[in-house]
Amino acid sequence: MSSAPGPACGRNATQRMLTLQLRELEADGVIMRHAYPQIPPKAEYEISPFGQSLGPILLSLRKWGQHYGDSIEGTALQHQTPDVRPSNACAHT
């Protein structure tokens, strides 16, 4: 993991989202966490056998997205009203 600052929200928001996603993947059994009792704390992650079983599904989904991605993105934007279009959530200054 890089220690470089993240997007405009700052590094903390990025680190927090990573932590939440890793915890969710661990709870779902997709990854396994190995914690080491040291200072500073250290944890390593590896994909579980269950997570490995998702490989063919994810590759198939990627292939589908590559084939249909442009048409889906264009259609989705056409059907969104201005108040629900994606915005930069970090841009409250």
Side-chain angles (χ1 to χ4, degrees):
M1 184 176 354
S2 171
S3 62
C9 290
R11 185 170 182 264
N12 291 338
T14 301
Q15 191 67 37
R16 184 176 189 297
M17 287 308 301
L18 175 62
T19 299
L20 292 173
Q21 289 296 303
L22 288 170
R23 285 181 184 164
E24 186 175 342
L25 289 168
E26 183 184 10
D28 291 341
V30 177
I31 61 172
M32 297 179 296
R33 180 177 187 265
H34 304 285
Y36 299 93
Q38 64 185 48
I39 297 177
K42 176 182 175 182
E44 294 179 347
Y45 294 85
E46 69 176 304
I47 192 162
S48 68
F50 173 68
Q52 290 177 347
S53 74
L54 296 171
I57 297 165
L58 296 174
L59 290 173
S60 179
L61 186 59
R62 180 179 69 176
K63 184 177 178 181
W64 179 87
Q66 289 170 335
H67 187 266
Y68 292 104
D70 291 338
S71 61
I72 292 170
E73 189 172 307
T75 302
L77 288 174
Q78 289 173 2
H79 295 289
Q80 289 180 346
T81 58
D83 60 321
V84 294
R85 288 204 172 119
S87 65
N88 183 352
C90 298
H92 19 311
T93 54

